[in-house]
Amino acid sequence: MDVVNQLQRQFIDYSASLHREGFLDDQFTQLQKLQDDNSPDFVVEVASLFFEDCEKLINNMARALEQQQGVDFKQVDASVHQLKGSSSSIGAMRVKDVCIAFRSFCEAQNREGCLRCLQQVTHEYSLLKNKLQTLFRLQQQILAAGGSIPVVE
Amino acid sequence: MVLKLQQSHHHQSVAVKGNEQMGTKRGYTFIQSNRDWLPKLILLWVMVMGFISIWIYKKMDADNNVRREEVLSSMCDQRARMLQDQFSVSVNHVHALALLVATFHYYKNPSAIDQETFAEYTARAAFERPLLSGVAYAERVVHSGREKFEKQHGWTIKAMQREPSRLRDEYAPLIFSQETISYIESLDMMSGEEDRENIVRARATGKAVLTSPFRLLGSHHLGVVLTFPVYKSKLPPKPTMEERIVATAGYDIGAIDVESLVENLLGQLAGNQAILVNVYDITNSSDPLVMYGHQNQDGDWAVVHESKLDFGDPFRKHQMICRYHQKAPTSWTALTNVFLFFVICLLVGYILYGAVIHIVKVEDDFREMQELKVRAEAADVAKSQFLATVPHEIRTPMNGMLALLLDTDLSSTQRGYAQTAQVCGKALITLINEVIDRAKIEAGKLELETVPFNIRSIFDNVLSLFSEKSRNKGVEVSRDKTNRKPSLAVFVSDKVPEMVMGDLGRFRQIITNLVGNSVKFTERGHIFVKVHLAESTQPVADTKVETCLNGGSDEGLLISSACQFKTGYEAADERNSWDSFRHLVVDEELRYDAPVNTIDEASRGFTLMVSVEDTGIGIPLIVQDRVFTPFMQADSSTSRNYGGTGIGLSITKCLVELMGGHISFISRPQVGSTFSFTTVFKRCNKASYNDTKKSIVELPSGFKGLKAIVVDGKPGKQNGHVFKLPKVILLAKNITNVELEKAKAAGFADTVIMKPMRASMAAACLQQVLGIGKKRQAGKDMLNGSPVLQGLLCGKKILVVDDNMAHQRVFAGALKKFGAPVECRESGKAALKLLQLPCCFYACFMDIQMPEMDGFEATHPIRMMESKANEQMNGGMDEDSGRKGEWHVPILAMTADVIHATYDECLKCRMDGCVEAL
């Protein structure tokens, strides 16, 4: 039981740090609450959907922004919008914040700014992915040890 | 996931529509489109009016002239007639003279007349012939008889030039003459060519014959000579010309002085000075001869009248021409009239022009105003949006801050600071919430929900919240040894149903605002909240009650033996005085047993009346009329002393009005204020009541029927519950643990209730004392505190359409949580397939921004399909059955944009609502 306790404590601390550092917001907590016996892998499922989505969108944007001339800002904007929606629905706050800045650059048709933002988004995304994977690993460890995942308030 | 149902904001769309309508009106008024023509138009007007004036003048002048002409013609005709008459009188005299000569010279033998007789007679009868300058008689002498005639008279026949007459066939020497013209005696009248013709003509016709005018020998006046034939023998009734010539014996000759004749005539008539008269002989029409008047005399040649004159000689024609002496005088009347007319027209033109200019100006101003209005409205909308969004942005990080503030272990100083920060943060969040509320109300976005709740527990809660605050206040104030903390009390009438349907949160907010205000501004006395049905407000005047009332109510009522209510402080509203309150209670008590038909009333709404009375500082009279204006406090010092933004009451007012009630207050400075409001609630039906009953910490009803007496040592304070069981509960304001232990040890009390007494606390104590067990309901299975939502959605099939997989999954997860089976689709097209009729979905959530077919596009065919199906269905049935279509899947748009345009767009596409997905 000690191990479970320790793991649980670790889990709580870790998710608290994620919240504190602004990677995640309340929305993620809500997601965790939605997870129950009927859908035990709900959060993981949603997260993986999000990751897929993100990768696809980031690739799209990168392709669109590669052109030296005549960048289709509309398309980029649509992608950013999608990304913003996805990130806000999972509660990825930092990604969402970058998306907001990204969109303003898109509207201004500023390629330089867009590229900078794309870089940031990619960075934030990979950071988040790592963090979440760690979190899920912890979760699995807790479950494997026979504990229950504590509810983070 | 935070879901927010965006509320319709019709007023905004109406405003926009209004603007559009105004827009279409623009630039289409007649005056506006022709404004450049205005100066030309006014010039044209003046010109036209000028022409009309001139025309009118001409017309009047012509009328004048016609009148003048008529006057002239009548005068002229009159003169002509008179002249004619005078002339014929003269002719008659000559005729008479001719007959005289014939009678006495020829019929008498020897002649009874000679020169002397003739001269005398004519001289004596001259008064009869004023116009004849003289008369004479010439005898017809044929050439054969000349010598005999000359011998008989003793002179030779002379021609006009006084020489002896040449030889002719015939002579007409004058033998008799009037004295005045005796110088022409013995002249041969036939020596002149014209005279001769005249004589021949006269004797042939037997009528008077006139010569053309000439200067008479004696007077140099213009005149004519009248020749009348004298016949020797009596003529047959119809003599031929030859018979006349043969019968001719001589000629009577009269010289008529036409000039003096006319002069004389004109002298007799009025208006002589005004007109000029000319008389002409126009026998030879190409060369009219003047008989009277000067040809070259000045005069008005414009108006001339000609009158024919008939002097009895058929061979001669005469005419009289009359004209005015002076030119027609300018008609001042006409001129004045016309001038006035013109001036009036000018003025009318000017007035019209002025009016039109004014209209143009007003319209321009109006347009400008409209533009400004549109801009102002836009600014207002922008402000509202700003207010609606910014506080959200502030609130979220604020919540994070507050949540984390006290999470870690802190030193006591740090903890103190952190606590202060937290308190401040909470205050800030309260303020932000207020601003959000205000903005929501302003934007019309606030929607009231209808959930069943227990009124009493609300009041209980609120009171407990504030009793804390007021206790703190009491502690602070009591430092100066005058324990002046205000007491808090609630009275809920028995008639008020236990469970009602309404917006719990908002109702609570109203109560909290009002009570909070009262607590804030009251330092001593009491705050008393009274709740009853609006129907039972009339106090029963004649009922009298004594001190004790049997507890028919399920709450510990605050009843004191003292007549003065509670704390002895005066309240602002006399209606709320203790007496009427008591009557009210009794009244309700009396009516309590009456059977109430609850089934009938179940669905009906009822009006609840709540009044919050305090004995605080009151509201100054001058600011009483703007109490409900947002951000308005009595004065700036108030906010310094008491804090707050002054937004609370305005929100309260809005909320009350939203709930179908109204709010009012009575306040007397330094005495207190009483705020009263009404709200409309629905009675709660049993089903939903049962649903929610578990979730609400309800007051046990096991005390019903227990009798209790409240004893208070100080008049006006309830101090103890004494039950028929020997259980004593001590009521205390502030009690230390030591004291409590002491009390308990003394067996004085079983437990202690902190004042102010709240129903739930009292109930808990009583339960503790009486040993009534209470099972706590676990609120574990409740997510976000929405059991209602769960009940609503359970088992309802819902379609979620979103191309964003993560989004879709989350949304579906949330809905599943509420027990709804969820179908998911990635695109509008796929959704369309699923929504083919007959469809089994309870609702459809649709993302707006999707590739291929967005939410709006997808909604359109669905609605078309539905309306077609409905038409068919209704077509099959009677039209007058008036049944509405059956098919209508509620489609709700999902969007991250919260701008109003999106919502309007949703409604335009006949979606049912808009869900804001943050």
Side-chain angles (χ1 to χ4, degrees):
Chain A
M1 268 330 226
D2 237 16
V3 185
V4 175
N5 261 340
Q6 205 182 343
L7 281 172
Q8 277 179 343
R9 164 65 57 100
Q10 214 177 332
F11 178 80
I12 289 170
D13 283 349
Y14 193 68
S15 53
S17 79
L18 285 182
H19 275 93
R20 199 163 47 239
E21 286 162 34
F23 284 106
L24 298 174
D25 62 11
D26 211 30
Q27 180 69 21
F28 191 75
T29 321
Q30 299 281 349
L31 281 188
Q32 282 175 322
K33 280 185 191 163
L34 284 177
Q35 180 167 298
D36 56 13
D37 297 339
N38 295 331
S39 51
D41 292 328
F42 180 72
V43 178
V44 181
E45 207 179 312
V46 170
S48 58
L49 278 172
F50 170 67
F51 293 144
E52 276 172 34
D53 207 24
C54 270
E55 256 158 57
K56 195 178 76 202
L57 288 169
I58 284 172
N59 285 338
N60 280 351
M61 287 188 284
R63 258 204 308 281
L65 286 170
E66 257 169 27
Q67 265 100 25
Q68 288 294 331
Q69 231 90 54
V71 178
D72 187 356
F73 282 103
K74 231 176 213 160
Q75 197 206 325
V76 178
D77 188 58
S79 298
V80 179
H81 180 71
Q82 281 248 4
L83 189 59
K84 186 178 153 232
S86 305
S87 52
S88 69
S89 70
I90 199 171
M93 203 153 84
R94 282 166 70 153
V95 178
K96 191 181 92 180
D97 290 347
V98 179
C99 283
I100 291 168
F102 203 157
R103 279 198 84 175
S104 61
F105 281 120
C106 273
E107 269 162 37
Q109 309 227 328
N110 182 346
R111 183 163 168 273
E112 289 301 306
C114 281
L115 281 172
R116 212 163 45 242
C117 278
L118 182 65
Q119 236 166 17
Q120 261 176 32
V121 163
T122 320
H123 175 68
E124 288 293 344
Y125 157 68
S126 50
L127 258 180
L128 180 70
K129 193 172 178 182
N130 280 336
K131 301 255 178 193
L132 279 182
Q133 273 164 354
T134 318
L135 192 73
F136 293 150
R137 230 183 355 262
L138 267 173
Q139 242 173 4
Q140 271 165 357
Q141 279 170 359
I142 293 170
L143 288 173
S148 63
I149 296 156
V151 178
V152 185
E153 282 301 328
Chain B
M1 171 149 307
V2 182
L3 298 179
K4 235 174 260 171
L5 273 173
Q6 217 169 21
Q7 220 242 330
S8 67
H9 39 86
H10 283 295
H11 69 278
Q12 213 142 25
S13 56
V14 166
V16 170
K17 237 179 253 169
N19 288 340
E20 279 167 5
Q21 278 173 358
M22 294 297 189
T24 56
K25 267 187 201 169
R26 259 179 201 197
Y28 284 103
T29 54
F30 175 76
I31 294 171
Q32 281 294 341
S33 53
N34 294 311
R35 56 190 301 177
D36 293 339
W37 285 90
L38 283 180
K40 287 173 193 169
L41 222 61
I42 187 85
L43 203 69
L44 189 72
W45 168 264
V46 170
M47 279 165 70
V48 166
M49 283 309 134
F51 282 128
I52 289 179
S53 305
I54 289 168
W55 178 76
I56 289 174
Y57 177 73
K58 286 254 170 80
K59 177 108 177 132
M60 288 176 88
D61 206 36
D63 281 352
N64 249 2
N65 279 345
V66 166
R67 229 177 0 256
R68 248 162 82 89
E69 236 165 82
E70 274 166 12
V71 169
L72 184 70
S73 71
S74 76
M75 279 168 88
C76 203
D77 285 343
Q78 189 189 13
R79 276 158 179 73
R81 209 164 46 243
M82 285 187 75
L83 187 61
Q84 223 167 280
D85 288 349
Q86 293 276 336
F87 207 89
S88 63
V89 166
S90 301
V91 170
N92 285 344
H93 277 290
V94 175
H95 194 171
L97 203 64
L99 290 178
L100 182 90
V101 171
T103 310
F104 291 98
H105 190 57
Y106 294 108
Y107 300 161
K108 295 268 188 216
N109 211 358
S111 162
I113 211 164
D114 57 2
Q115 165 63 26
E116 266 170 74
T117 323
F118 187 82
E120 194 183 344
Y121 170 74
T122 51
R124 286 175 69 180
F127 69 92
E128 282 198 301
R129 308 180 298 275
L131 304 171
L132 290 171
S133 52
V135 285
Y137 178 72
E139 199 176 46
R140 184 187 179 201
V141 178
V142 290
H143 187 63
S144 55
R146 177 176 174 173
E147 264 176 80
K148 185 188 167 195
F149 176 81
E150 278 178 351
K151 209 178 281 174
Q152 190 183 342
H153 284 274
W155 38 262
T156 52
I157 297 167
K158 289 182 204 109
M160 280 297 171
Q161 283 74 34
R162 298 260 167 204
E163 77 250 16
S165 176
R166 282 172 292 145
L167 292 180
R168 292 169 189 275
D169 290 347
E170 222 177 289
Y171 307 96
L174 288 164
I175 52 171
F176 304 136
S177 65
Q178 204 180 337
E179 209 73 49
T180 48
I181 51 165
S182 53
Y183 52 86
I184 58 163
E185 202 177 347
S186 77
L187 281 181
D188 177 13
M189 290 309 288
M190 284 180 108
S191 60
E193 192 60 29
E194 201 186 353
D195 291 341
R196 192 183 140 83
E197 267 172 35
N198 279 340
I199 287 166
V200 169
R201 210 145 39 94
R203 75 179 180 207
T205 55
K207 286 186 176 167
V209 165
L210 293 173
T211 61
S212 59
F214 64 94
R215 296 249 163 230
L216 291 180
L217 286 174
S219 65
H220 294 290
H221 279 178
L222 277 172
V224 290
V225 174
L226 184 87
T227 310
F228 203 86
V230 177
Y231 298 105
K232 253 188 289 198
S233 53
K234 291 219 167 65
L235 287 167
K238 274 187 183 165
T240 60
M241 206 189 291
E242 282 74 26
E243 281 172 340
R244 280 181 191 272
I245 293 168
V246 172
T248 304
Y251 319 99
D252 224 350
I253 287 164
I256 296 177
D257 184 350
V258 178
E259 217 161 350
S260 47
L261 169 72
V262 177
E263 209 86 53
N264 184 15
L265 179 76
L266 294 182
Q268 291 170 13
L269 288 169
N272 201 20
Q273 302 303 317
I275 61 171
L276 277 175
V277 176
N278 281 359
V279 180
Y280 295 96
D281 180 340
I282 51 160
T283 311
N284 183 2
S285 58
S286 60
D287 178 28
L289 298 167
V290 179
M291 283 172 79
Y292 172 77
H294 304 283
Q295 190 71 48
N296 296 324
Q297 205 164 7
D298 284 341
D300 183 14
W301 283 101
V303 187
V304 174
H305 186 80
E306 295 177 359
S307 296
K308 283 265 177 286
L309 285 173
D310 181 12
F311 289 148
D313 181 355
F315 293 100
R316 292 229 166 248
K317 286 176 187 152
H318 298 90
Q319 76 172 7
M320 180 186 264
I321 293 178
C322 303
R323 56 206 160 91
Y324 281 102
H325 227 297
Q326 273 148 359
K327 286 201 190 285
T330 327
S331 170
W332 286 110
T333 336
L335 214 58
T336 318
N337 284 350
V338 166
F339 180 71
L340 284 178
F341 173 77
F342 186 65
V343 166
I344 287 169
C345 286
L346 272 188
L347 284 178
V348 167
Y350 178 74
I351 287 167
L352 285 178
Y353 182 72
V356 166
I357 289 287
H358 187 69
I359 287 171
V360 166
K361 192 172 165 324
V362 165
E363 276 183 1
D364 280 352
D365 286 356
F366 171 69
R367 224 173 269 172
E368 203 179 322
M369 294 290 222
Q370 226 170 22
E371 239 161 67
L372 290 177
K373 180 174 161 264
V374 168
R375 263 157 57 190
E377 275 169 357
D380 191 49
V381 168
K383 186 207 81 181
S384 294
Q385 279 191 12
F386 175 78
L387 276 182
T389 46
V390 167
H392 275 293
E393 305 297 324
I394 303 172
R395 189 167 58 169
T396 318
M398 199 70 201
N399 275 327
M401 274 162 59
L402 292 183
L404 298 174
L405 208 54
L406 296 169
D407 266 10
T408 47
D409 292 332
L410 299 169
S411 73
S412 60
T413 324
Q414 283 172 330
R415 181 161 287 276
Y417 290 159
Q419 265 164 355
T420 313
Q422 193 169 33
V423 169
C424 294
K426 273 184 183 153
L428 185 53
I429 283 183
T430 320
L431 170 59
I432 289 167
N433 282 340
E434 279 180 348
V435 172
I436 291 176
D437 277 346
R438 177 76 218 169
K440 268 190 180 168
I441 290 166
E442 235 170 57
K445 272 170 133 190
L446 196 80
E447 194 174 66
L448 294 177
E449 50 184 2
T450 312
V451 294
F453 65 92
N454 187 326
I455 288 185
R456 286 171 181 78
S457 65
I458 292 275
F459 282 103
D460 198 38
N461 275 336
V462 173
L463 219 65
S464 71
L465 190 74
F466 284 108
S467 64
E468 201 78 19
K469 276 192 192 172
S470 87
R471 189 178 299 142
N472 292 342
K473 203 167 185 171
V475 169
E476 278 168 39
V477 177
S478 63
R479 272 188 208 134
D480 55 3
K481 301 292 174 199
T482 54
N483 191 358
R484 294 194 304 174
K485 114 184 198 201
S487 28
L488 269 164
V490 178
F491 165 73
V492 183
S493 156
D494 279 342
K495 298 276 279 185
V496 178
E498 213 169 312
M499 299 295 293
V500 297
M501 299 282 284
D503 193 323
L504 175 140
R506 297 299 169 192
F507 184 63
R508 194 194 162 100
Q509 194 180 355
I510 295 170
I511 305 286
T512 313
N513 269 341
L514 291 181
V515 176
N517 261 357
S518 290
V519 169
K520 196 153 72 180
F521 295 114
T522 307
E523 298 200 333
R524 60 199 159 74
H526 64 262
I527 295 153
F528 179 43
V529 184
K530 200 169 66 171
V531 188
H532 49 78
L533 292 183
E535 293 91 65
S536 57
T537 43
Q538 290 85 8
V540 181
D542 295 333
T543 325
K544 293 215 166 160
V545 272
E546 283 309 308
T547 49
C548 207
L549 287 169
N550 287 341
S553 59
D554 57 349
E555 284 194 57
L557 271 187
L558 327 156
I559 298 164
S560 136
S561 56
C563 275
Q564 180 70 8
F565 175 57
K566 294 188 42 153
T567 47
Y569 287 105
E570 205 184 346
D573 186 4
E574 274 78 19
R575 247 185 344 159
N576 256 357
S577 72
W578 170 244
D579 275 344
S580 67
F581 169 69
R582 205 173 51 179
H583 288 157
L584 186 67
V585 172
V586 171
D587 181 33
E588 283 181 5
E589 201 72 15
L590 291 173
R591 285 193 277 173
Y592 189 69
D593 292 333
V596 183
N597 197 347
T598 44
I599 299 145
D600 271 4
E601 288 180 350
S603 51
R604 210 154 46 84
F606 65 93
T607 309
L608 200 67
M609 186 156 171
V610 181
S611 60
V612 178
E613 174 191 303
D614 68 49
T615 54
I617 57 167
I619 301 166
L621 292 170
I622 43 161
V623 292
Q624 282 195 2
D625 52 346
R626 51 190 167 122
V627 158
F628 293 118
T629 320
F631 307 107
M632 197 69 90
Q633 276 187 334
D635 60 82
S636 50
S637 66
T638 315
S639 59
R640 273 204 299 281
N641 291 340
Y642 299 99
T645 53
I647 200 175
L649 276 177
S650 82
I651 292 173
T652 306
K653 185 174 171 14
C654 291
L655 288 176
V656 166
E657 275 160 10
L658 267 175
M659 289 170 117
H662 52 86
I663 188 164
S664 64
F665 69 94
I666 295 172
S667 180
R668 278 156 64 195
Q670 305 308 326
V671 172
S673 322
T674 303
F675 281 82
S676 318
F677 70 91
T678 58
T679 52
V680 179
F681 286 125
K682 280 210 191 86
R683 278 171 209 276
C684 181
N685 54 3
K686 279 288 175 230
S688 54
Y689 171 66
N690 285 337
D691 271 357
T692 49
K693 199 168 181 180
K694 301 171 215 140
S695 64
I696 290 162
V697 184
E698 70 158 347
L699 296 164
S701 51
F703 305 118
K704 229 168 213 173
L706 293 182
K707 287 184 181 168
I709 287 176
V710 184
V711 183
D712 196 337
K714 230 159 111 190
K717 295 221 169 166
Q718 74 274 34
N719 240 354
H721 266 80
V722 183
F723 281 81
K724 59 180 175 181
L725 300 169
K727 302 270 185 195
V728 176
I729 302 162
L730 191 67
L731 276 166
K733 262 177 246 162
N734 285 309
I735 195 159
T736 59
N737 277 344
V738 185
E739 277 174 323
L740 178 64
E741 289 304 314
K742 219 165 39 184
K744 272 193 174 170
F748 178 63
D750 297 279
T751 189
V752 173
I753 300 177
M754 298 290 271
K755 268 181 45 169
M757 200 175 79
R758 293 189 295 117
S760 62
M761 194 127 45
C765 280
L766 289 172
Q767 271 165 354
Q768 188 191 341
V769 171
L770 299 173
I772 301 168
K774 192 189 169 199
K775 196 179 141 219
R776 257 198 87 78
Q777 288 290 328
K780 204 166 66 181
D781 57 347
M782 296 214 306
L783 185 85
N784 295 346
S786 270
V788 189
L789 203 55
Q790 180 145 25
L792 196 70
L793 288 176
C794 191
K796 307 277 170 65
K797 236 175 132 181
I798 288 170
L799 178 65
V800 175
V801 187
D802 199 331
D803 62 316
N804 189 327
M805 288 306 288
H807 212 146
Q808 189 195 85
R809 191 72 190 82
V810 172
F811 206 97
L815 287 173
K816 272 179 186 159
K817 202 77 201 174
F818 294 117
V822 181
E823 283 273 348
C824 297
R825 284 296 177 272
E826 286 83 40
S827 73
K829 277 190 179 163
L832 262 183
K833 267 180 214 150
L834 266 184
L835 284 170
Q836 292 295 332
L837 294 175
C839 92
C840 50
F841 287 100
Y842 180 69
C844 173
F845 287 89
M846 192 155 335
D847 190 21
I848 287 177
Q849 288 191 333
M850 283 188 293
E852 274 186 271
M853 183 185 263
D854 68 17
F856 298 138
E857 283 171 29
T859 308
H860 189 63
I862 293 169
R863 290 288 179 243
M864 292 286 286
M865 196 163 66
E866 278 170 357
S867 60
K868 209 183 279 174
N870 291 335
E871 251 171 50
Q872 277 170 2
M873 201 159 60
N874 290 345
M877 289 190 282
D878 265 354
E879 276 302 312
D880 57 1
S881 64
R883 228 182 74 156
K884 286 269 174 195
E886 288 268 353
W887 299 112
H888 186 91
V889 177
I891 298 179
L892 297 154
M894 292 193 289
T895 175
D897 298 327
V898 286
I899 46 175
H900 293 139
T902 316
Y903 185 69
D904 289 341
E905 191 89 346
C906 289
L907 291 185
K908 224 180 269 172
C909 289
R910 295 171 61 204
M911 287 181 164
D912 298 275
C914 185
V915 178
E916 190 182 307
L918 283 179

